[in-house]
Amino acid sequence: MTEPSGNPASHFWRLSADALCKQLGCGLQGLVTTEAAARLAQYGRNSDVPPRIEGAMRAILRRLLEPLSLILLVAGVISMLTGDDIGGLIIVLILTLSIGLDTVQEGHAVRAADILRRSVALKAEVRRNGAFCQIDVEEVVPGDILRIRAGDIIPADALILESTAFTAGEAALTGEPYPVQKRAGAADCFDDTSNALFRGAVAQTGEAIALAVRTGRDTVFGAAASALAEAQAPSPFERDLREFGFVIARATLALVLVVLTIRVVFGRPVLDSLLFAVALAVGLTPELLPMITTVTLSRGALRMAGRKVIVKRLAAIHDLGAMTVLCTDKTGTLTSAEIRLAKSLDAGGEDDARAARLGAIAAALGGDRGSLDAALIAGCTDAAQGWTLAGRQAFDFSRRLGSVLANGPEGTLLIVKGAPEAVLELCTMDDGTRSAAMARVRQLATEGLRTVAIASRAWRGATREVETEDETDLTFEGYCAFADPPKPTAAAAIARLASGGIKLKILSGDDPVVVKRLADLVGLNAGRVLSGPDIAELSDEALAVRVQSADAFGRLAPDQKSRIVKALQASGEVVGFLGDGINDAPALKAADIGLSVEGATGVAQAAADMILLASDLEVVADGVEEGRRTFANILKYVRMGASSNFGNMLSMAIASIALPFLPMLPTQILLNNLLYDLSELGIPFDRVSKQATAQPQVWSMSHLVRFAAIMGPLSSVFDFLTFGALLVLFKASPDEFRTAWFIESMATQILVIFIIRTNGRPWRNWPDPVLSASSLIALLVAMVTPFTPVGAWFGFVVPPPLMLAGIAALVVIYLACAELLKPLAIRAGRDG
């Protein structure tokens, strides 16, 4: 158990009750109301650091300060200040919708997750004013005397004063699925915490009286929860999007300054040049990228909600698709967290149902109703039929065994069950036989099985309560072996993730032997399981090397799980972590994508980016595909901007310097940009082929630059051909030039969508009807506008038919060249 740093009564289980009372300034009779109130003021409420929740205004401001948003905001303000109110309002409206949609969606997700986190104990039983009473858990203070019964969630870190057949489930803290025996008395060694209770564990059997030593943030639970108060680093998607924004911002600023400077130097009107430069900035900026991203991610979140996944952070959907390594806890994720009877063996190690049947009789008549007894009864449902209880010796945790005296078909039989080493000492056998029996127990342990030994003897004389002296001269009946089995879907889900380029690693607090067995069962490489002590001896650099070759880790402390996550990230991996316990919170926070489940602790849910309502790796695999589909559609928008939008704005900038008139008026540029943006509103709904979701999707600036370096100049080449044809062949006037180029620009920008949206041939992967409709409607509006009275308001004229025919021919040739050059630009990518 990892100690919180700076806590009072560190390693308190090493101290006596009297020493702790002296240190805490209390007595074993409990507190009075006034003392409790003073301690509550001194130590604070028994609660955790609340998770960092971003307010609406802060969330809006964070999004507004992104590079792309700042460009649009500045461009909109300048447009309105220089008299172009319509253009400025269009820009601001787009920005407002994008930021608003993103903020509202994440707010809904956070509220939904908060509802899920309210599955915690509300009351605790403490001795106040000399009598036990119920109080709110948050009012428990150090020095309180607690009474904890089976089923209670332990409210504080505490030292046991008295106990009766008490066990606690600490799976949420340590990953250990089996109940842990707890008792009063001195610890046997430094790390022996059998006399200590820890907040967040669950009492499974018996009853205990304990002295509360640490509460709230000072508990082991609270130390893990404190990680939630730390600011979270930007996700891979957020980092990539910001980097892309800075690249666009630098390119925009450079081009605008060059155009504005040259035009002013050449004596062109300053105001016209400024408005033109602002229009260029807007045209260069993919202003719909935040909205396209948000809508695409929101649609992904809705689809994932249909698959019972709550998305708390929209960018996490992309990060899930980019994930290359998934680290997962064992209990409840790969395993069912339900103990079952796996084997019943006789004294010689052969399969024999007698040991399990006798064990089930003892469990049904006088067991402690813990998980092992429940598994025995479930494994032999009718074993106790015809048997009655004549006496019992309750399970003694110091002796590690218990017994029942039962009357039934075999007469009166004393049945003893417990830890093998304890039961075997009471059996009639020589040392060699006993050693061989223990060797079988160790062999079963290598198979990931926990063993209980069963012994019996015929009872002579009258029936009565069983005494310790009666548990002698026993006949060893055999072993009952228990397993926390892997989920039936685990191996197939792991294989599915592997086929998608995702490596899976088990990070568990359980015994390395058990972890190795589980790893073998689900098909992972477990030649060597790295344990917590192994990792403690490794530097961060050495750990980054070792984690690449190991798939299984055992006996890990919470901070070691987060160390492994960071070591994988240092090696360039995009790391996901799936966990449900308190001990998983630091790793969930450190991972690029944190995944938790509905039944997880509140701390784990608060630390996670997504909450799975079904604890199954198949759900994760489905989410990975959704993330990759989402990214593929976002990438389509970026590619389109890089190919046609950037090329056209570059052509316009050069033409504005070379021509004696503006190649397009600022209002025409904004109309061009608005219609082009409307044509792409269907991208979030577009289809994505299976090939595009086959491997992790990584945002590569070098690939985007390569794409833009090929497809952008291609667009510019055809723009210059259009300029030449209009000026030389058709002797176009300035108004005819602007109108014809507007038509050519809109046709090439919009129609190339159908080519760039897929890495393969367009006719083999048809677009979604929504994308087709948005694109073709925008194209129709662009083609019709110059022929309407609205066109005259924008400065358009009706071009001659021959000029229109020439433009149409250039558009067809451009689309054919774009399809031919696309494989070179994409570099033999996967089909989208």
Side-chain angles (χ1 to χ4, degrees):
M1 190 74 63
T2 301
E3 273 289 288
S5 60
N7 285 347
S10 181
H11 301 291
F12 63 87
W13 52 88
R14 297 290 299 160
L15 302 176
S16 67
D18 289 338
L20 278 176
C21 285
K22 183 177 180 180
Q23 187 171 339
L24 294 171
C26 65
L28 296 178
Q29 70 280 4
L31 304 175
V32 298
T33 304
T34 53
E35 285 181 307
R39 288 169 184 266
L40 189 62
Q42 177 185 355
Y43 293 105
R45 300 187 73 80
N46 183 27
S47 58
D48 304 307
V49 178
R52 185 181 293 266
I53 298 176
E54 190 176 47
M57 291 305 299
R58 190 179 182 87
I60 291 171
L61 183 62
R62 172 171 56 83
R63 290 168 172 84
L64 194 59
L65 293 178
E66 291 294 324
L68 295 180
S69 298
L70 285 175
I71 293 173
L72 292 176
L73 183 62
V74 171
V77 170
I78 292 176
S79 294
M80 287 187 282
L81 290 177
T82 52
D84 186 10
D85 294 337
I86 294 177
L89 287 174
I90 290 173
I91 298 168
V92 173
L93 178 62
I94 290 173
L95 185 60
T96 302
L97 287 174
S98 175
I99 291 176
L101 184 60
D102 199 2
T103 304
V104 169
Q105 170 62 31
E106 285 200 4
H108 282 317
V110 169
R111 283 191 292 274
D114 187 57
I115 291 173
L116 282 179
R117 288 197 296 266
R118 297 179 185 175
S119 54
V120 295
L122 299 178
K123 297 290 182 181
E125 193 174 5
V126 301
R127 185 185 290 155
R128 294 278 174 88
N129 303 318
F132 280 104
C133 61
Q134 295 277 342
I135 65 169
D136 289 341
V137 164
E138 290 192 355
E139 295 178 2
V140 173
V141 294
D144 265 325
I145 301 298
L146 307 170
R147 181 159 64 188
I148 303 162
R149 309 170 194 262
D152 290 345
I153 297 177
I154 295 169
D157 290 359
L159 182 76
I160 295 179
L161 305 176
E162 304 172 22
S163 65
T164 304
F166 192 82
T167 62
E170 295 182 342
L173 290 157
T174 66
E176 169 61 62
Y178 296 96
V180 180
Q181 300 169 3
K182 297 290 185 178
R183 54 169 177 72
D188 293 333
C189 61
F190 187 81
D191 290 327
D192 177 18
T193 58
S194 60
N195 61 349
L197 302 179
F198 296 95
R199 177 176 170 231
V202 180
Q204 296 207 342
T205 63
E207 182 176 316
I209 304 295
L211 170 66
V213 179
R214 302 187 303 208
T215 58
R217 304 174 190 183
D218 292 327
T219 62
V220 172
F221 185 113
S226 64
L228 302 180
E230 299 173 4
Q232 186 164 1
S235 71
F237 180 68
E238 291 165 338
R239 291 195 300 267
D240 293 339
L241 199 60
R242 184 169 297 174
E243 181 185 358
F244 177 71
F246 280 124
V247 170
I248 292 295
R250 286 192 291 267
T252 300
L253 183 62
L255 190 60
V256 166
L257 288 178
V258 168
V259 170
L260 183 59
T261 301
I262 293 178
R263 284 187 58 82
V264 170
V265 168
F266 284 0
R268 310 287 167 78
V270 175
L271 183 59
D272 286 349
S273 298
L274 179 61
L275 289 174
F276 182 79
V278 169
L280 270 186
V282 176
L284 276 170
T285 305
E287 67 265 29
L288 270 197
L289 181 59
M291 180 181 286
I292 292 291
T293 300
T294 302
V295 172
T296 306
L297 292 173
S298 296
R299 277 185 54 79
L302 288 174
R303 282 193 292 263
M304 295 182 78
R307 295 178 177 181
K308 297 187 176 181
V309 179
I310 291 179
V311 179
K312 291 173 54 184
R313 183 173 57 86
L314 285 180
I317 298 175
H318 162 269
D319 297 335
L320 192 62
M323 181 174 65
T324 57
V325 175
L326 174 62
C327 300
T328 177
D329 190 18
K330 176 181 70 69
T331 306
T333 306
L334 293 176
T335 68
S336 61
E338 296 177 359
I339 309 303
R340 68 172 178 81
L341 179 66
K343 292 182 179 182
S344 177
L345 308 174
D346 63 16
E350 301 296 326
D351 289 334
D352 190 326
R354 179 171 174 77
R357 188 170 66 253
L358 292 176
I361 293 170
L365 297 181
D368 58 16
R369 301 299 180 183
S371 57
L372 296 180
D373 277 354
L376 278 170
I377 295 169
C380 302
T381 53
D382 299 326
Q385 193 168 10
W387 291 85
T388 59
L389 180 65
R392 70 187 289 256
Q393 170 87 305
F395 191 91
D396 186 331
F397 288 106
S398 62
R399 297 193 306 132
R400 304 182 66 196
L401 55 84
S403 58
V404 298
L405 186 61
N407 287 322
E410 297 183 29
T412 304
L413 197 65
L414 176 65
I415 304 172
V416 178
K417 67 178 177 67
E421 57 270 27
V423 173
L424 289 171
E425 285 296 327
L426 305 176
C427 294
T428 304
M429 60 173 62
D430 57 42
D431 291 342
T433 306
R434 188 174 289 109
S435 297
M438 287 305 301
R440 292 188 188 96
V441 171
R442 288 190 291 271
Q443 175 58 39
L444 290 169
T446 64
E447 299 176 20
L449 303 176
R450 171 170 288 196
T451 306
V452 168
I454 308 295
S456 70
R457 73 171 175 84
W459 185 267
R460 298 176 184 84
T463 58
R464 55 177 172 77
E465 286 299 324
V466 179
E467 303 290 341
T468 302
E469 305 82 62
D470 296 321
E471 297 168 339
T472 55
D473 298 327
L474 302 176
T475 299
F476 181 46
E477 298 285 2
Y479 318 85
C480 295
F482 301 87
D484 180 19
K487 292 185 175 181
T489 58
I494 290 172
R496 180 180 169 192
L497 290 170
S499 67
I502 298 175
K503 295 169 283 188
L504 188 131
K505 298 181 185 292
I506 302 175
L507 276 58
S508 176
D510 209 344
D511 191 300
V513 174
V514 177
V515 175
K516 184 180 188 309
R517 175 63 177 168
L518 175 65
D520 291 337
L521 290 175
V522 297
L524 293 176
N525 169 32
R528 167 106 190 267
V529 178
L530 280 181
S531 68
D534 295 332
I535 291 169
E537 296 177 357
L538 297 174
S539 65
D540 290 342
E541 293 75 14
L543 182 60
V545 175
R546 295 293 297 276
V547 294
Q548 294 297 321
S549 57
D551 286 345
F553 303 81
R555 283 282 181 250
L556 296 178
D559 62 318
Q560 290 176 328
K561 291 185 179 184
S562 58
R563 269 195 75 197
I564 292 171
V565 167
K566 292 173 182 176
L568 288 165
Q569 291 170 329
S571 301
E573 306 284 3
V574 178
V575 183
F577 188 90
L578 174 58
D580 59 1
I582 300 164
N583 60 327
D584 295 322
L588 284 166
K589 192 75 172 178
D592 296 308
I593 168 70
L595 303 165
S596 192
V597 294
E598 181 182 16
T601 61
V603 174
Q605 289 181 358
D609 300 305
M610 293 182 182
I611 298 175
L612 314 180
L613 302 187
S615 180
D616 197 317
L617 285 179
E618 283 290 344
V619 177
V620 178
D622 291 340
V624 167
E625 289 187 2
E626 192 59 57
R628 294 175 181 178
R629 183 181 298 112
T630 299
F631 178 74
N633 280 336
I634 292 172
L635 189 60
K636 291 173 186 178
Y637 178 83
V638 176
R639 282 180 178 175
M640 291 167 194
S643 62
S644 56
N645 204 20
F646 183 77
N648 282 341
M649 293 303 110
L650 180 63
S651 303
M652 198 176 301
I654 295 173
S656 71
I657 297 171
L659 296 176
F661 55 86
L662 286 177
M664 203 177 286
L665 299 176
T667 54
Q668 293 171 345
I669 296 175
L670 289 175
L671 178 63
N672 176 301
N673 201 45
L674 177 62
L675 290 175
Y676 177 62
D677 288 340
L678 292 175
S679 73
E680 296 179 307
L681 289 179
I683 289 177
F685 305 88
D686 196 21
R687 297 169 180 148
V688 177
S689 69
K690 291 183 178 179
Q691 290 90 337
T693 60
Q695 293 295 317
Q697 298 279 1
V698 179
W699 185 304
S700 170
M701 286 303 301
S702 62
H703 289 174
L704 288 176
V705 170
R706 175 188 175 87
F707 190 91
I710 294 174
M711 303 303 287
L714 174 66
S715 176
S716 295
V717 166
F718 275 86
D719 286 336
F720 295 138
L721 289 175
T722 301
F723 296 164
L726 292 174
L727 294 173
V728 177
L729 295 179
F730 300 111
K731 309 296 183 184
S733 67
D735 287 341
E736 287 177 338
F737 182 98
R738 294 170 184 139
T739 304
W741 189 37
F742 175 85
I743 292 173
E744 185 268 351
S745 174
M746 292 305 305
T748 54
Q749 285 185 98
I750 292 176
L751 292 176
V752 81
I753 290 174
F754 299 104
I755 293 175
I756 294 174
R757 59 167 291 275
T758 173
N759 293 354
R761 299 304 181 193
W763 52 87
R764 293 176 185 166
N765 184 1
W766 291 99
D768 187 90
V770 176
L771 177 59
S772 298
S774 66
S775 300
L776 296 179
I777 290 173
L779 179 62
L780 179 62
V781 171
M783 297 300 101
V784 170
T785 296
F787 301 91
T788 66
V790 176
W793 187 81
F794 280 98
F796 293 130
V797 297
V798 178
L802 191 59
M803 187 182 295
L804 291 175
I807 293 297
L810 283 172
V811 169
V812 171
I813 297 172
Y814 164 73
L815 294 176
C817 291
E819 177 63 22
L820 291 173
L821 284 178
K822 181 178 66 176
L824 179 62
I826 294 174
R827 194 201 297 267
R830 295 173 294 279
D831 190 19

